[in-house]
Amino acid sequence: MLNLIPNLVKRYLFYRHSQNWSQERLEAYRDEMLGRLIRHAARHVPYYRNLFKEIGFDPDQFKGRMDMHKIPLLDKETVRTRREELIADNADKFGIVWESTSGSTGTPLHIIVDRAARSNKLVALIRSYQWAGYALGKKTFSMQSYYLKDDDFEYKKLFRVLRFDSNRFRKDSAIKVIEQINKFRPRFFMGFPFDLLMLSRFAAEAGLSISRPDSMVTYGETLSEHKRKSLEGAYGCRVFDYYSQHECTSMIAECEHHSLHLIDDFACHEVVDEGGKDASEEGFGELIGTGLYNYAMPLIRYRTRDDIVLDRENETCQCGRSFTVVKEIIGKQCDYIETPDGRLLGAVMSHAIDNAKGVVVSQCIQDALNHVCINLVIDNTYNEESEKALERDLRKRLGDEMEIDFCIVPELEKRPGGKTPFILSKIGHQYV
Ligand SMILES: [Zn+2]
């Protein structure tokens, strides 16, 4: 704990500098960090110790990203079922904190993100937010799943942040928070695009205006062009997109010049086609990430299940940074749920599935205002206890009036276009 603050400051200064590095320096740093991580994994992580032996991979010959293709991709399913083997035998040394996540795909996952990975993520995130106009101490409004006990919102004096709990999002609580925002006048907004958009709609319906911020960062779900335009119109400010995961294996942020960048000093990013082959030439495919700092549980070549398109026409950005430019992030396109008591729940719902044992993938389908069906693909560790835990967590979000049915299915329902969203609305609350 004692080392935490100086360590954060050190990393902060590092990231201030590294964003100005040349392409060559950035690549040399990434390759050096990858080499260290892979040699550590070969020595201390049972999963990689065995895998490398099996495929005849020699970590001492590893030169950098050009050799990454020799290591097989790692998917969520493997992390879920072989978690213990992915934990380093000296993990304690790095400070263990368990994270649980399900992301947009509804696959429960418990992973360790160690102290260093955590600090690096926080500092890289702050740097990204600074590109978007944030500064420490700047009056901020943040809308997230906070699980507040006593109220819909709270004020964090030290950081000057007004927080609104998105689990409690309904029309009357929205009106209350709009009044608070107008009193507090935050200059920076952050939250899920869906939540911020609904907030502005409630304001408009009630004939209220929302105090205008300088800028806004959104994350947690895909920011479609339509959502971006609607948000910019409603709040009268520029909107910046931000993408990352609890697993700390990749990060994308939008700079002052509104280019999306892969944060290449935080993780090693690759793009692969459906067969898992390098697709950087084509410039389109699934984003594969390797976080450079999580030694307690290294995830190497982790499949994010989100697709990205690289920007081939504008490979350099006016901001001068060498980070790879991304044209579009395609992923996390959820519909949203409306509860009988009038609350609206977006991608945030996926967290309710986090603790269910034996669930491989899941999906929430709303076919009536008071009825949802939870589709579950399960393995043989699923039992009665899992269903009880699931119901408990879903009740917390959905309230008592919603009827919940669990359906064990061989596969999840797809949209006509072929996507499999975590939330599928059949009552007209489609993703736009
Ligand atoms: Zn840029």
Side-chain angles (χ1 to χ4, degrees), residues 255 259 261 317 319:
C255 74
S259 294
H261 289 285
C317 177
C319 73

Side-chain angles (χ1 to χ4, degrees), residues 178-238:
I178 291 164
E179 286 164 2
Q180 287 300 314
I181 290 172
N182 289 344
K183 231 190 269 171
F184 178 52
R185 308 183 75 77
R187 308 306 305 161
F188 185 76
F189 278 41
M190 54 200 240
F192 283 32
F194 165 76
D195 290 339
L196 289 162
L197 205 53
M198 287 315 296
L199 190 70
S200 70
R201 280 198 195 151
F202 284 149
E205 278 172 27
L208 294 167
S209 57
I210 299 179
S211 168
R212 185 175 156 170
D214 302 332
S215 58
M216 157 185 305
V217 165
T218 68
Y219 44 78
E221 62 188 54
T222 305
L223 181 67
S224 63
E225 236 0 80
H226 176 85
K227 276 207 170 83
R228 185 191 287 268
K229 289 225 168 67
S230 308
L231 281 169
E232 289 185 343
Y235 289 91
C237 72
R238 292 308 297 263

Side-chain angles (χ1 to χ4, degrees), residues 131 254-261 317-321 323 325:
W131 298 353
E254 189 170 330
C255 74
E256 305 85 338
H257 293 273
H258 296 283
S259 294
L260 290 166
H261 289 285
C317 177
Q318 283 175 21
C319 73
R321 297 182 185 96
F323 301 143
V325 185

Side-chain angles (χ1 to χ4, degrees), residues 335 413-421 424 426 430:
D335 298 347
E413 207 168 306
K414 286 192 184 341
R415 265 197 239 282
K419 285 246 174 218
T420 313
L424 202 59
K426 295 187 174 172
Q430 265 87 17

Side-chain angles (χ1 to χ4, degrees), residues 114-306:
D114 69 22
R115 226 168 14 224
R118 224 161 257 276
S119 328
N120 275 284
K121 184 178 177 184
L122 176 66
V123 176
L125 176 145
I126 290 174
R127 181 182 68 184
S128 302
Y129 283 20
Q130 286 172 336
W131 298 353
Y134 176 73
L136 279 172
K138 189 173 190 172
K139 282 191 192 178
T140 298
F141 170 69
S142 169
M143 191 165 170
Q144 259 186 55
S145 176
Y146 286 116
Y147 286 111
L148 301 180
K149 282 208 175 65
D150 306 317
D151 212 339
D152 298 337
F153 50 87
E154 67 173 11
Y155 178 57
K156 287 277 178 199
K157 210 170 167 187
L158 183 63
F159 297 102
R160 301 177 90 196
V161 181
L162 178 67
R163 291 171 157 186
F164 179 35
D165 189 345
S166 51
N167 292 316
R168 296 168 173 248
F169 193 23
R170 49 193 279 178
K171 197 165 179 175
D172 51 350
S173 59
I175 301 298
K176 256 199 312 184
V177 85
I178 291 164
E179 286 164 2
Q180 287 300 314
I181 290 172
N182 289 344
K183 231 190 269 171
F184 178 52
R185 308 183 75 77
R187 308 306 305 161
F188 185 76
F189 278 41
M190 54 200 240
F192 283 32
F194 165 76
D195 290 339
L196 289 162
L197 205 53
M198 287 315 296
L199 190 70
S200 70
R201 280 198 195 151
F202 284 149
E205 278 172 27
L208 294 167
S209 57
I210 299 179
S211 168
R212 185 175 156 170
D214 302 332
S215 58
M216 157 185 305
V217 165
T218 68
Y219 44 78
E221 62 188 54
T222 305
L223 181 67
S224 63
E225 236 0 80
H226 176 85
K227 276 207 170 83
R228 185 191 287 268
K229 289 225 168 67
S230 308
L231 281 169
E232 289 185 343
Y235 289 91
C237 72
R238 292 308 297 263
V239 175
F240 295 76
D241 197 5
Y242 173 83
Y243 168 100
S244 74
Q245 305 147 315
H246 292 287
E247 294 93 319
C248 291
T249 52
S250 60
M251 190 182 283
I252 303 175
E254 189 170 330
C255 74
E256 305 85 338
H257 293 273
H258 296 283
S259 294
L260 290 166
H261 289 285
L262 294 175
I263 307 303
D264 295 321
D265 52 0
F266 175 75
C268 167
H269 301 96
E270 299 171 75
V271 180
V272 301
D273 64 18
E274 277 177 15
K277 292 258 173 313
D278 176 47
S280 47
E281 281 302 307
E282 294 80 0
F284 167 81
E286 182 180 350
L287 177 65
I288 304 297
T290 306
L292 300 176
Y293 308 102
N294 196 9
Y295 277 51
M297 190 174 182
L299 303 179
I300 298 169
R301 304 197 79 212
Y302 184 68
R303 301 184 64 157
T304 64
R305 299 192 191 174
D306 289 319

